[in-house]
Amino acid sequence: MPVNAASTAAPRPLVFAGFPASSWAFALRVWLAMLVALYVSFWLELDSPSSSALTVGVLALPTRAQGMEKAGYRLLATVIGVVASIAIAGTFSQTDGLLLAVLGICVGLCTYVAGMLDGNRAYAAALCCITVALVAIEQIDTPLQVFQTGVARGAAIGIGVIAVALVNEVLAAPNYHPVLANRIETLHRRVTDLAQGAEPASAPAAASLLHDIAALRPEIRTLATEASIGAARTEAARSALVEIVNALSLGRMLAALPAVSPDTAGLVAMARSWLRTEIGRTNAENRDSLDALREGTRPSHAWHAPLYRSRRIATEAAARAAISFTLIALFFVLTGWPTTELCLALVAVILALGSTTPAPRSFTLVAVMALPIACVLAGILKYVVFNGVSEFQLLAIGLAPVVIGLALLITLPNPMLSSLGRLVLVFTIAVLAPTNPQSYDPEVFLVTSFFACMSAVLSFAAQMLLPPLPGDRKIRFLLGEARRELDHLGSGRTRHLAPEEAAFRDAARIEQILTANGASPLDGKITAETMRYFDQAEALRRCHAELDRLQHGPLAGTAQEAERALAQRNGGAILAAAEALRLAAARSRLSADAAIAMLIPASSAFAPSQTSGRGEQP
Amino acid sequence: MTNTYRELVIGGVLIAPIVAYAAIALMAFLLLRPLLRFVGFAKLFSNPSLAELSLYVAMFGLLALLV
C-alpha cells in the first residue's frame, strides 16, 4: 500500500529535515490522534486505554479514505473476534489440549479467509484472529474475564477510530481520489507507450504493467468511505482499471497479428482495423471513467473487477499457520512457564498479520527486528523520559518525538523501512502500555519485553521449521490453475464473466504470480508462459463472446464450426474458420467483422510456435 | 431535577443510551447519504467531509438532546 499520498500530487513539495511537509502533517496528525485517543480513554476510565492508542498506530495512513476503510473493517473484525472468543472460551475452557487445538484451527481459519481476500478485507480476517488471540488467549486461565476484556477492547478501539476520524477531518487530511486518479492515468499512459513502443509484445513489460494495474484493486474500495459520492468514485476507478487491462490486451492482440500473406491479407487487414477501432473506443471509455472519478459521478459503463482467489494456496498457508501456532503452544505447555499467554497471543498476532503479506517470512523478520527496538524505545520512554511522572501533558510531550519520528518513517517509500516504522510504533505503544495511573514496575516491563521479543523469535523459528509456501511453488500452483482454466474455457465450466472482467481476473492472477517471489524478479520463461496463457484465454473468451452473438442468425452453422476449431486449439483451423465465416457473411450480406477480427488473434495465439512454449521470449 | 436514562439492554447487558444514540445517528446518516449525493451536498463545501462530519454531530447532538 502506498504510504506517501503526496508522492504524485506535487512536483516539488516543501521539504523540512529531509521529509516533505505532507509527511510532517501526517506525523503530527498521528501524534494528535493518539493524544486525543489516550485522553478520552483516561477520562472514560477504560480498562485498556493503550488499545485506543494502538488503534491510532494501526490506522496511521496518510489519506482519510484509507484510514476510514481500515477503521470500519477493524471495528467489524473486533466484533466478530469478540463473539468468537466468547464462544471458544465458553465451550472449550478447561479442556487443555483441545482448547489449544481449537485456537490453532481458529488461526488457520482466519489465515485461510485472509488468503482468499485482499487489502483491508484480508486485514479484517487477520484481525479476527488477533482479537481472539488478545481476548481469549490472554484470558486463557480466567475465562470469566473474556466478556469484560472483549468489551473493554471494543470500547478502546471505538475511541481510537473516532479519534483518528476526528483529527483527519478537522485537520483536513488529504483525499485519496486525486492520488488514485493520477496513478490510473499514469498506468494508462504506460499502456499507450507500450503499444506504440518498439516492443509492443514484450512479455515482461506487459506482465509488470498488469501487476501494477491489479495491485491498485484493493485501494479503489477505500474511496467509498471518503465522501457521500465515494461509491460512485469507486465504480469509476474500478471501470478505469478494467478498461486499461482491456486496452492492454487489445494492444497485444494487435501486435501479435500474423504477418500478411496473400491468402490472409484481407482477414488481417480487417482484424487490424477492427482492433484499432476497439482500442480507440476503450481509450475514450477510460477517459470518461477518469473524468467520472475526478468529478464523483458514475461511469458510463460500470465493470466489475473480480479478484483471483487460489483456494489451494490459501489452504496451504492456513495449514502452515495453524501448525506453527500449535507447535509454539505445545512448546509453552512443555516448558510450563508462567504468564506465557502474552507471548502466545503475540505469536498469533504475528502469524495473522504475516498472512496478509505476500511474504510472511519477511514480515516475521521485520517483526523480529522491530520488537527489540520497540522494547528499547518503550524502556527509554518509561524509565528515562517519564520516570515516575503521571501528568498527561508530560506524557504528550514525551510521546511526541517517538510517535512523530516513527510516523515519518512510515511515510518513506521503502516498503521495508515503512513496515518497520509501523511495527515499531505499534509495538512501542503495546510494550509501554500507557495507563492511568502509569505503572512503573520494572519486573512487569522486563517480563513483557522478554516475552514480546521471544514471540517474534519463536514465530520466526516456527517458520524456519515449517516454511511458508515457497514462491516458486505458489507460481507453479497459479500457472497450473491458469492452464486448467484455459483447457476448460468454452466447455461450459467457466465462470460467467464478461471477457473484459475475466481479463482483469487474469491480471489479478498475474499480480499474484509476480509478487509470489517477493522482491526478486521472475524468470523470463515463466513470465512468457504467464503472458501466453493470458493472451490465449483472452482471445478465446472474446471469440466465444462474439461467436455466441452469431448463434441465432443465418451464420449459426459457420459460427459452430469456428467454435469447434477453437475447441481444437489449432491456429490453422481457426484461421480457416475465420475465412469460412468471412465468405458466409459476404454471401448472407451480414457483418461478422467482430468475430472474424477476434478469430485472427486467436489463430496467432494458438499458432504452433506459441502453443509449444517457444514463441515469445522476453 | 435529574434526567431518566433508558438503557439499551442486549442479553442482560446494559448499554449507555449515548452509544445507542450514536449508532442511530450513524444509521440515519448512512441512509441520508444517497440523498446528499442527489442534491450535490459535496459540491457546496470546500471540505465536504468536514461538512458531513458536522452534519453527523448535529444529528447526534439533537438526538441526545431531544430524545
Side-chain angles (χ1 to χ4, degrees):
Chain A
M1 186 175 281
V3 287
N4 197 341
S7 58
T8 54
R12 286 295 297 266
L14 189 68
V15 175
F16 178 66
F19 288 94
S22 61
S23 297
W24 282 99
F26 163 68
L28 280 173
R29 281 199 304 274
V30 173
W31 176 62
L32 272 179
M34 200 168 275
L35 293 188
V36 171
L38 277 175
Y39 189 84
V40 174
S41 304
F42 290 153
W43 175 54
L44 293 174
E45 296 178 16
L46 295 186
D47 288 342
S48 60
S50 57
S51 288
S52 58
L54 271 177
T55 301
V56 175
V58 169
L59 301 181
L61 291 161
T63 60
R64 222 181 51 246
Q66 288 168 299
M68 284 307 286
E69 203 216 7
K70 201 170 183 184
Y73 280 117
R74 190 167 166 85
L75 282 174
L76 178 74
T78 304
V79 172
I80 299 171
V82 168
V83 171
S85 304
I86 293 169
I88 290 172
T91 318
F92 299 100
S93 71
Q94 296 180 353
T95 54
D96 300 334
L98 185 61
L99 175 61
L100 288 179
V102 168
L103 290 171
I105 290 169
C106 183
V107 170
L109 197 67
C110 292
T111 312
Y112 176 78
V113 178
M116 295 293 281
L117 300 170
D118 68 339
N120 282 332
R121 290 194 296 173
Y123 167 74
L127 190 70
C128 282
C129 176
I130 294 170
T131 307
V132 170
L134 294 177
V135 176
I137 300 179
E138 278 217 29
Q139 303 297 331
I140 206 162
D141 297 325
T142 49
L144 289 177
Q145 295 287 319
V146 165
F147 180 75
Q148 241 173 337
T149 314
V151 170
R153 186 170 157 77
I157 287 177
I159 297 293
V161 167
I162 292 171
V164 170
L166 191 74
V167 169
N168 278 350
E169 295 285 349
V170 173
L171 296 186
N175 280 329
Y176 196 34
H177 70 88
V179 182
L180 256 184
N182 283 343
R183 291 174 67 189
I184 293 175
E185 208 167 0
T186 311
L187 285 171
H188 186 234
R189 210 172 306 126
R190 278 176 60 194
V191 169
T192 319
D193 291 348
L194 181 70
Q196 290 167 353
E199 273 191 278
S202 154
S208 140
L209 244 172
L210 286 173
H211 163 271
D212 293 352
I213 297 166
L216 272 189
R217 187 191 176 277
E219 318 245 329
I220 52 180
R221 217 183 304 110
T222 61
L223 294 179
T225 53
E226 199 166 73
S228 54
I229 48 174
R233 283 205 170 109
T234 304
E235 261 183 36
R238 200 181 283 142
S239 296
L241 286 187
V242 173
E243 282 149 9
I244 294 177
V245 172
N246 198 10
L248 180 100
S249 87
L250 288 171
R252 282 183 67 77
M253 283 180 188
L254 185 64
L257 280 179
V260 178
S261 68
D263 301 340
T264 59
L267 287 173
V268 173
M270 185 190 280
R272 185 163 288 130
S273 140
W274 191 86
L275 282 170
R276 283 201 177 122
T277 317
E278 272 298 285
I279 292 172
R281 192 181 57 79
T282 310
N283 286 340
E285 277 182 2
N286 187 260
R287 277 192 293 278
D288 283 351
S289 297
L290 273 172
D291 289 343
L293 170 61
R294 290 208 170 91
E295 285 163 22
T297 52
R298 291 196 186 276
S300 51
H301 194 304
W303 293 110
H304 291 286
L307 169 70
Y308 181 76
R309 300 177 173 91
S310 172
R311 284 202 179 84
R312 189 160 177 193
I313 291 175
T315 312
E316 285 224 10
R320 280 158 201 262
I323 294 170
S324 296
F325 177 83
T326 314
L327 279 179
I328 295 169
L330 268 177
F331 169 78
F332 283 131
V333 169
L334 291 177
T335 54
W337 291 341
T339 64
T340 49
E341 60 271 1
L342 167 75
C343 193
L344 199 55
L346 269 174
V347 166
V349 170
I350 293 168
L351 289 177
L353 284 179
S355 70
T356 62
T357 61
R361 199 192 278 181
S362 312
F363 177 83
T364 314
L365 197 61
V366 176
V368 170
M369 285 190 283
L371 266 162
I373 300 172
C375 291
V376 170
L377 278 177
I380 292 172
L381 271 180
K382 212 169 198 174
Y383 298 105
V384 180
V385 179
F386 298 140
N387 200 17
V389 299
S390 55
E391 286 84 2
F392 185 78
Q393 300 88 315
L394 295 175
L395 175 75
I397 297 167
L399 277 179
V402 173
V403 174
I404 293 176
L406 292 172
L408 284 174
L409 203 60
I410 293 175
T411 62
L412 287 178
N414 183 331
M416 177 86 170
L417 284 177
S418 173
S419 169
L420 186 71
R422 185 176 301 281
L423 282 182
V424 173
L425 177 64
V426 170
F427 288 140
T428 305
I429 300 295
V431 177
L432 179 68
T435 48
N436 188 25
Q438 182 69 42
S439 150
Y440 285 98
D441 187 350
E443 195 185 326
V444 172
F445 175 76
L446 282 176
V447 168
T448 310
S449 302
F450 173 69
F451 279 126
C453 292
M454 202 167 81
S455 65
V457 173
L458 279 176
S459 303
F460 191 67
Q463 284 182 346
M464 292 292 279
L465 201 67
L466 187 75
L469 200 57
D472 46 355
R473 200 152 162 217
K474 259 189 211 173
I475 293 169
R476 224 173 34 244
F477 284 164
L478 289 166
L479 280 178
E481 283 164 15
R483 198 179 308 122
R484 272 193 298 282
E485 236 171 60
L486 187 64
D487 290 344
H488 295 136
L489 257 180
S491 64
R493 284 179 57 187
T494 47
R495 294 153 60 101
H496 296 285
L497 287 173
E500 292 83 353
E501 294 168 344
F504 188 87
R505 187 169 161 274
D506 284 359
R509 178 166 46 214
I510 291 172
E511 191 247 342
Q512 289 177 24
I513 291 174
L514 261 68
T515 46
N517 259 342
S520 50
L522 206 58
D523 178 19
K525 226 169 149 185
I526 293 173
T527 318
E529 195 182 348
T530 308
M531 285 314 297
R532 198 176 69 243
Y533 290 145
F534 175 81
D535 292 337
Q536 291 180 345
E538 183 59 352
L540 273 182
R541 279 195 214 100
R542 283 175 185 272
C543 283
H544 287 310
E546 293 301 338
L547 290 173
D548 281 351
R549 290 200 188 111
L550 302 177
Q551 293 292 354
H552 303 291
L555 299 177
T558 333
Q560 271 169 10
E561 270 173 36
E563 290 272 11
R564 276 194 288 278
L566 285 174
Q568 291 169 15
R569 310 286 196 257
N570 182 336
I574 297 170
L575 201 61
E579 179 62 25
L581 191 60
R582 187 174 73 88
L583 292 174
R587 271 199 304 276
S588 316
R589 294 175 190 282
L590 289 167
S591 169
D593 289 7
I596 298 165
M598 281 296 106
L599 283 168
I600 307 301
S603 75
S604 57
F606 288 101
S609 61
Q610 293 287 324
T611 43
S612 63
R614 287 176 285 106
E616 201 168 325
Q617 293 298 326
Chain B
M1 187 181 161
T2 53
N3 282 327
T4 51
Y5 294 112
R6 288 186 297 272
E7 278 104 349
L8 183 68
V9 185
I10 299 176
V13 181
L14 301 181
I15 294 172
I18 198 130
V19 177
Y21 296 155
I24 293 168
L26 186 65
M27 292 299 288
F29 182 72
L30 289 178
L31 289 175
L32 204 64
R33 273 177 67 143
L35 184 70
L36 295 181
R37 192 168 57 234
F38 181 71
V39 298
F41 183 81
K43 293 189 180 82
L44 297 175
F45 299 92
S46 63
N47 188 347
S49 53
L50 189 58
E52 283 176 16
L53 175 75
S54 308
L55 184 64
Y56 170 74
V57 172
M59 286 166 66
F60 175 40
L62 279 176
L63 209 61
L65 200 67
L66 301 179
V67 177

PDB file of all heavy atoms in Angstrom, chain A residues 467-490:
ATOM      1  N   PRO A 467       8.476 -23.844   6.735  1.00  0.00           N
ATOM      2  CA  PRO A 467       8.497 -22.581   5.982  1.00  0.00           C
ATOM      3  C   PRO A 467       7.153 -22.288   5.320  1.00  0.00           C
ATOM      4  O   PRO A 467       6.433 -23.219   4.948  1.00  0.00           O
ATOM      5  CB  PRO A 467       9.576 -22.802   4.920  1.00  0.00           C
ATOM      6  CG  PRO A 467      10.164 -24.114   5.185  1.00  0.00           C
ATOM      7  CD  PRO A 467       9.319 -24.863   6.143  1.00  0.00           C
ATOM      8  N   PRO A 468       6.819 -20.998   5.199  1.00  0.00           N
ATOM      9  CA  PRO A 468       5.617 -20.640   4.446  1.00  0.00           C
ATOM     10  C   PRO A 468       5.759 -21.134   3.007  1.00  0.00           C
ATOM     11  O   PRO A 468       6.875 -21.400   2.548  1.00  0.00           O
ATOM     12  CB  PRO A 468       5.589 -19.113   4.500  1.00  0.00           C
ATOM     13  CG  PRO A 468       6.555 -18.721   5.537  1.00  0.00           C
ATOM     14  CD  PRO A 468       7.537 -19.820   5.683  1.00  0.00           C
ATOM     15  N   LEU A 469       4.641 -21.229   2.328  1.00  0.00           N
ATOM     16  CA  LEU A 469       4.630 -21.742   0.957  1.00  0.00           C
ATOM     17  C   LEU A 469       5.694 -21.022   0.113  1.00  0.00           C
ATOM     18  O   LEU A 469       5.649 -19.804  -0.023  1.00  0.00           O
ATOM     19  CB  LEU A 469       3.237 -21.491   0.371  1.00  0.00           C
ATOM     20  CG  LEU A 469       2.827 -22.330  -0.819  1.00  0.00           C
ATOM     21  CD1 LEU A 469       2.902 -23.793  -0.473  1.00  0.00           C
ATOM     22  CD2 LEU A 469       1.434 -21.946  -1.245  1.00  0.00           C
ATOM     23  N   PRO A 470       6.692 -21.774  -0.438  1.00  0.00           N
ATOM     24  CA  PRO A 470       7.736 -21.093  -1.223  1.00  0.00           C
ATOM     25  C   PRO A 470       7.150 -20.427  -2.475  1.00  0.00           C
ATOM     26  O   PRO A 470       6.149 -20.914  -3.024  1.00  0.00           O
ATOM     27  CB  PRO A 470       8.685 -22.221  -1.623  1.00  0.00           C
ATOM     28  CG  PRO A 470       8.285 -23.413  -0.855  1.00  0.00           C
ATOM     29  CD  PRO A 470       6.880 -23.220  -0.402  1.00  0.00           C
ATOM     30  N   GLY A 471       7.822 -19.352  -2.896  1.00  0.00           N
ATOM     31  CA  GLY A 471       7.330 -18.570  -4.026  1.00  0.00           C
ATOM     32  C   GLY A 471       7.196 -19.380  -5.302  1.00  0.00           C
ATOM     33  O   GLY A 471       6.191 -19.311  -6.003  1.00  0.00           O
ATOM     34  N   ASP A 472       8.236 -20.234  -5.598  1.00  0.00           N
ATOM     35  CA  ASP A 472       8.171 -20.973  -6.868  1.00  0.00           C
ATOM     36  C   ASP A 472       7.024 -21.990  -6.866  1.00  0.00           C
ATOM     37  O   ASP A 472       6.429 -22.260  -7.899  1.00  0.00           O
ATOM     38  CB  ASP A 472       9.520 -21.642  -7.189  1.00  0.00           C
ATOM     39  CG  ASP A 472      10.102 -22.357  -6.009  1.00  0.00           C
ATOM     40  OD1 ASP A 472       9.499 -22.241  -4.928  1.00  0.00           O
ATOM     41  OD2 ASP A 472      11.136 -23.038  -6.158  1.00  0.00           O
ATOM     42  N   ARG A 473       6.697 -22.505  -5.661  1.00  0.00           N
ATOM     43  CA  ARG A 473       5.581 -23.459  -5.585  1.00  0.00           C
ATOM     44  C   ARG A 473       4.255 -22.726  -5.819  1.00  0.00           C
ATOM     45  O   ARG A 473       3.372 -23.223  -6.508  1.00  0.00           O
ATOM     46  CB  ARG A 473       5.596 -24.115  -4.209  1.00  0.00           C
ATOM     47  CG  ARG A 473       4.835 -25.381  -4.231  1.00  0.00           C
ATOM     48  CD  ARG A 473       5.310 -26.369  -3.216  1.00  0.00           C
ATOM     49  NE  ARG A 473       4.246 -27.351  -3.059  1.00  0.00           N
ATOM     50  CZ  ARG A 473       3.924 -27.906  -1.926  1.00  0.00           C
ATOM     51  NH1 ARG A 473       4.583 -27.587  -0.842  1.00  0.00           N
ATOM     52  NH2 ARG A 473       2.953 -28.774  -1.862  1.00  0.00           N
ATOM     53  N   LYS A 474       4.179 -21.524  -5.240  1.00  0.00           N
ATOM     54  CA  LYS A 474       2.976 -20.703  -5.451  1.00  0.00           C
ATOM     55  C   LYS A 474       2.794 -20.445  -6.941  1.00  0.00           C
ATOM     56  O   LYS A 474       1.698 -20.560  -7.485  1.00  0.00           O
ATOM     57  CB  LYS A 474       3.160 -19.347  -4.748  1.00  0.00           C
ATOM     58  CG  LYS A 474       2.459 -19.241  -3.428  1.00  0.00           C
ATOM     59  CD  LYS A 474       2.544 -17.801  -2.965  1.00  0.00           C
ATOM     60  CE  LYS A 474       2.573 -17.724  -1.473  1.00  0.00           C
ATOM     61  NZ  LYS A 474       2.824 -16.397  -0.962  1.00  0.00           N
ATOM     62  N   ILE A 475       3.912 -20.092  -7.594  1.00  0.00           N
ATOM     63  CA  ILE A 475       3.856 -19.792  -9.035  1.00  0.00           C
ATOM     64  C   ILE A 475       3.396 -21.029  -9.801  1.00  0.00           C
ATOM     65  O   ILE A 475       2.577 -20.941 -10.714  1.00  0.00           O
ATOM     66  CB  ILE A 475       5.236 -19.304  -9.532  1.00  0.00           C
ATOM     67  CG1 ILE A 475       5.552 -17.953  -8.898  1.00  0.00           C
ATOM     68  CG2 ILE A 475       5.281 -19.203 -11.044  1.00  0.00           C
ATOM     69  CD1 ILE A 475       6.964 -17.492  -9.106  1.00  0.00           C
ATOM     70  N   ARG A 476       3.927 -22.208  -9.385  1.00  0.00           N
ATOM     71  CA  ARG A 476       3.539 -23.454 -10.068  1.00  0.00           C
ATOM     72  C   ARG A 476       2.032 -23.691  -9.937  1.00  0.00           C
ATOM     73  O   ARG A 476       1.359 -24.029 -10.895  1.00  0.00           O
ATOM     74  CB  ARG A 476       4.335 -24.614  -9.482  1.00  0.00           C
ATOM     75  CG  ARG A 476       4.859 -25.513 -10.560  1.00  0.00           C
ATOM     76  CD  ARG A 476       5.792 -26.619 -10.158  1.00  0.00           C
ATOM     77  NE  ARG A 476       5.568 -27.211  -8.880  1.00  0.00           N
ATOM     78  CZ  ARG A 476       6.438 -27.143  -7.873  1.00  0.00           C
ATOM     79  NH1 ARG A 476       7.561 -26.445  -8.014  1.00  0.00           N
ATOM     80  NH2 ARG A 476       6.200 -27.749  -6.737  1.00  0.00           N
ATOM     81  N   PHE A 477       1.521 -23.482  -8.710  1.00  0.00           N
ATOM     82  CA  PHE A 477       0.071 -23.650  -8.482  1.00  0.00           C
ATOM     83  C   PHE A 477      -0.724 -22.710  -9.381  1.00  0.00           C
ATOM     84  O   PHE A 477      -1.676 -23.110 -10.038  1.00  0.00           O
ATOM     85  CB  PHE A 477      -0.292 -23.327  -7.037  1.00  0.00           C
ATOM     86  CG  PHE A 477       0.071 -24.402  -6.056  1.00  0.00           C
ATOM     87  CD1 PHE A 477       0.115 -24.140  -4.699  1.00  0.00           C
ATOM     88  CD2 PHE A 477       0.354 -25.685  -6.489  1.00  0.00           C
ATOM     89  CE1 PHE A 477       0.440 -25.121  -3.787  1.00  0.00           C
ATOM     90  CE2 PHE A 477       0.690 -26.673  -5.584  1.00  0.00           C
ATOM     91  CZ  PHE A 477       0.739 -26.384  -4.232  1.00  0.00           C
ATOM     92  N   LEU A 478      -0.301 -21.439  -9.383  1.00  0.00           N
ATOM     93  CA  LEU A 478      -1.066 -20.424 -10.117  1.00  0.00           C
ATOM     94  C   LEU A 478      -1.034 -20.699 -11.617  1.00  0.00           C
ATOM     95  O   LEU A 478      -2.050 -20.586 -12.308  1.00  0.00           O
ATOM     96  CB  LEU A 478      -0.520 -19.024  -9.813  1.00  0.00           C
ATOM     97  CG  LEU A 478      -0.816 -18.515  -8.399  1.00  0.00           C
ATOM     98  CD1 LEU A 478       0.041 -17.309  -8.072  1.00  0.00           C
ATOM     99  CD2 LEU A 478      -2.278 -18.150  -8.249  1.00  0.00           C
ATOM    100  N   LEU A 479       0.170 -21.105 -12.110  1.00  0.00           N
ATOM    101  CA  LEU A 479       0.269 -21.411 -13.545  1.00  0.00           C
ATOM    102  C   LEU A 479      -0.562 -22.648 -13.888  1.00  0.00           C
ATOM    103  O   LEU A 479      -1.210 -22.688 -14.938  1.00  0.00           O
ATOM    104  CB  LEU A 479       1.731 -21.635 -13.935  1.00  0.00           C
ATOM    105  CG  LEU A 479       2.557 -20.367 -14.145  1.00  0.00           C
ATOM    106  CD1 LEU A 479       3.996 -20.718 -14.486  1.00  0.00           C
ATOM    107  CD2 LEU A 479       1.970 -19.502 -15.251  1.00  0.00           C
ATOM    108  N   GLY A 480      -0.552 -23.629 -12.975  1.00  0.00           N
ATOM    109  CA  GLY A 480      -1.356 -24.834 -13.186  1.00  0.00           C
ATOM    110  C   GLY A 480      -2.831 -24.488 -13.259  1.00  0.00           C
ATOM    111  O   GLY A 480      -3.563 -24.997 -14.119  1.00  0.00           O
ATOM    112  N   GLU A 481      -3.266 -23.598 -12.362  1.00  0.00           N
ATOM    113  CA  GLU A 481      -4.673 -23.196 -12.366  1.00  0.00           C
ATOM    114  C   GLU A 481      -5.008 -22.441 -13.651  1.00  0.00           C
ATOM    115  O   GLU A 481      -6.082 -22.623 -14.227  1.00  0.00           O
ATOM    116  CB  GLU A 481      -4.971 -22.334 -11.138  1.00  0.00           C
ATOM    117  CG  GLU A 481      -5.100 -23.186  -9.876  1.00  0.00           C
ATOM    118  CD  GLU A 481      -5.015 -22.378  -8.595  1.00  0.00           C
ATOM    119  OE1 GLU A 481      -5.139 -21.144  -8.660  1.00  0.00           O
ATOM    120  OE2 GLU A 481      -4.824 -22.986  -7.535  1.00  0.00           O
ATOM    121  N   ALA A 482      -4.066 -21.597 -14.118  1.00  0.00           N
ATOM    122  CA  ALA A 482      -4.285 -20.850 -15.366  1.00  0.00           C
ATOM    123  C   ALA A 482      -4.427 -21.824 -16.536  1.00  0.00           C
ATOM    124  O   ALA A 482      -5.293 -21.661 -17.401  1.00  0.00           O
ATOM    125  CB  ALA A 482      -3.132 -19.886 -15.607  1.00  0.00           C
ATOM    126  N   ARG A 483      -3.571 -22.854 -16.520  1.00  0.00           N
ATOM    127  CA  ARG A 483      -3.585 -23.832 -17.618  1.00  0.00           C
ATOM    128  C   ARG A 483      -4.909 -24.607 -17.619  1.00  0.00           C
ATOM    129  O   ARG A 483      -5.534 -24.785 -18.650  1.00  0.00           O
ATOM    130  CB  ARG A 483      -2.403 -24.795 -17.456  1.00  0.00           C
ATOM    131  CG  ARG A 483      -2.056 -25.552 -18.721  1.00  0.00           C
ATOM    132  CD  ARG A 483      -0.872 -26.480 -18.512  1.00  0.00           C
ATOM    133  NE  ARG A 483       0.274 -25.795 -17.932  1.00  0.00           N
ATOM    134  CZ  ARG A 483       0.863 -26.133 -16.787  1.00  0.00           C
ATOM    135  NH1 ARG A 483       0.413 -27.139 -16.075  1.00  0.00           N
ATOM    136  NH2 ARG A 483       1.906 -25.468 -16.343  1.00  0.00           N
ATOM    137  N   ARG A 484      -5.319 -25.042 -16.421  1.00  0.00           N
ATOM    138  CA  ARG A 484      -6.578 -25.799 -16.325  1.00  0.00           C
ATOM    139  C   ARG A 484      -7.761 -24.948 -16.773  1.00  0.00           C
ATOM    140  O   ARG A 484      -8.651 -25.415 -17.460  1.00  0.00           O
ATOM    141  CB  ARG A 484      -6.798 -26.272 -14.889  1.00  0.00           C
ATOM    142  CG  ARG A 484      -6.152 -27.620 -14.619  1.00  0.00           C
ATOM    143  CD  ARG A 484      -6.639 -28.210 -13.325  1.00  0.00           C
ATOM    144  NE  ARG A 484      -6.310 -27.381 -12.176  1.00  0.00           N
ATOM    145  CZ  ARG A 484      -5.110 -27.324 -11.614  1.00  0.00           C
ATOM    146  NH1 ARG A 484      -4.131 -28.063 -12.093  1.00  0.00           N
ATOM    147  NH2 ARG A 484      -4.874 -26.559 -10.576  1.00  0.00           N
ATOM    148  N   GLU A 485      -7.741 -23.686 -16.349  1.00  0.00           N
ATOM    149  CA  GLU A 485      -8.840 -22.793 -16.734  1.00  0.00           C
ATOM    150  C   GLU A 485      -8.888 -22.630 -18.248  1.00  0.00           C
ATOM    151  O   GLU A 485      -9.953 -22.618 -18.858  1.00  0.00           O
ATOM    152  CB  GLU A 485      -8.634 -21.427 -16.084  1.00  0.00           C
ATOM    153  CG  GLU A 485      -9.820 -20.996 -15.259  1.00  0.00           C
ATOM    154  CD  GLU A 485      -9.528 -19.773 -14.472  1.00  0.00           C
ATOM    155  OE1 GLU A 485      -9.203 -18.741 -15.086  1.00  0.00           O
ATOM    156  OE2 GLU A 485      -9.620 -19.830 -13.235  1.00  0.00           O
ATOM    157  N   LEU A 486      -7.694 -22.531 -18.840  1.00  0.00           N
ATOM    158  CA  LEU A 486      -7.605 -22.367 -20.289  1.00  0.00           C
ATOM    159  C   LEU A 486      -8.157 -23.617 -20.992  1.00  0.00           C
ATOM    160  O   LEU A 486      -8.878 -23.509 -21.983  1.00  0.00           O
ATOM    161  CB  LEU A 486      -6.149 -22.136 -20.679  1.00  0.00           C
ATOM    162  CG  LEU A 486      -5.862 -21.774 -22.115  1.00  0.00           C
ATOM    163  CD1 LEU A 486      -6.492 -20.439 -22.465  1.00  0.00           C
ATOM    164  CD2 LEU A 486      -4.365 -21.703 -22.371  1.00  0.00           C
ATOM    165  N   ASP A 487      -7.832 -24.795 -20.430  1.00  0.00           N
ATOM    166  CA  ASP A 487      -8.320 -26.041 -21.026  1.00  0.00           C
ATOM    167  C   ASP A 487      -9.843 -26.122 -20.980  1.00  0.00           C
ATOM    168  O   ASP A 487     -10.467 -26.692 -21.871  1.00  0.00           O
ATOM    169  CB  ASP A 487      -7.730 -27.250 -20.287  1.00  0.00           C
ATOM    170  CG  ASP A 487      -6.242 -27.380 -20.572  1.00  0.00           C
ATOM    171  OD1 ASP A 487      -5.793 -26.738 -21.541  1.00  0.00           O
ATOM    172  OD2 ASP A 487      -5.539 -28.081 -19.826  1.00  0.00           O
ATOM    173  N   HIS A 488     -10.423 -25.590 -19.912  1.00  0.00           N
ATOM    174  CA  HIS A 488     -11.874 -25.703 -19.757  1.00  0.00           C
ATOM    175  C   HIS A 488     -12.635 -24.521 -20.337  1.00  0.00           C
ATOM    176  O   HIS A 488     -13.846 -24.470 -20.232  1.00  0.00           O
ATOM    177  CB  HIS A 488     -12.230 -25.864 -18.270  1.00  0.00           C
ATOM    178  CG  HIS A 488     -11.711 -27.145 -17.705  1.00  0.00           C
ATOM    179  ND1 HIS A 488     -11.087 -27.231 -16.487  1.00  0.00           N
ATOM    180  CD2 HIS A 488     -11.682 -28.395 -18.229  1.00  0.00           C
ATOM    181  CE1 HIS A 488     -10.711 -28.475 -16.284  1.00  0.00           C
ATOM    182  NE2 HIS A 488     -11.064 -29.201 -17.326  1.00  0.00           N
ATOM    183  N   LEU A 489     -11.924 -23.566 -20.911  1.00  0.00           N
ATOM    184  CA  LEU A 489     -12.608 -22.401 -21.488  1.00  0.00           C
ATOM    185  C   LEU A 489     -13.494 -22.843 -22.643  1.00  0.00           C
ATOM    186  O   LEU A 489     -13.049 -23.570 -23.528  1.00  0.00           O
ATOM    187  CB  LEU A 489     -11.584 -21.398 -22.018  1.00  0.00           C
ATOM    188  CG  LEU A 489     -11.333 -20.165 -21.169  1.00  0.00           C
ATOM    189  CD1 LEU A 489     -10.310 -19.279 -21.836  1.00  0.00           C
ATOM    190  CD2 LEU A 489     -12.593 -19.403 -20.911  1.00  0.00           C
ATOM    191  N   GLY A 490     -14.738 -22.437 -22.610  1.00  0.00           N
ATOM    192  CA  GLY A 490     -15.640 -22.767 -23.710  1.00  0.00           C
ATOM    193  C   GLY A 490     -16.350 -24.083 -23.531  1.00  0.00           C
ATOM    194  O   GLY A 490     -17.210 -24.439 -24.322  1.00  0.00           O
TER     195      GLY A 490
END
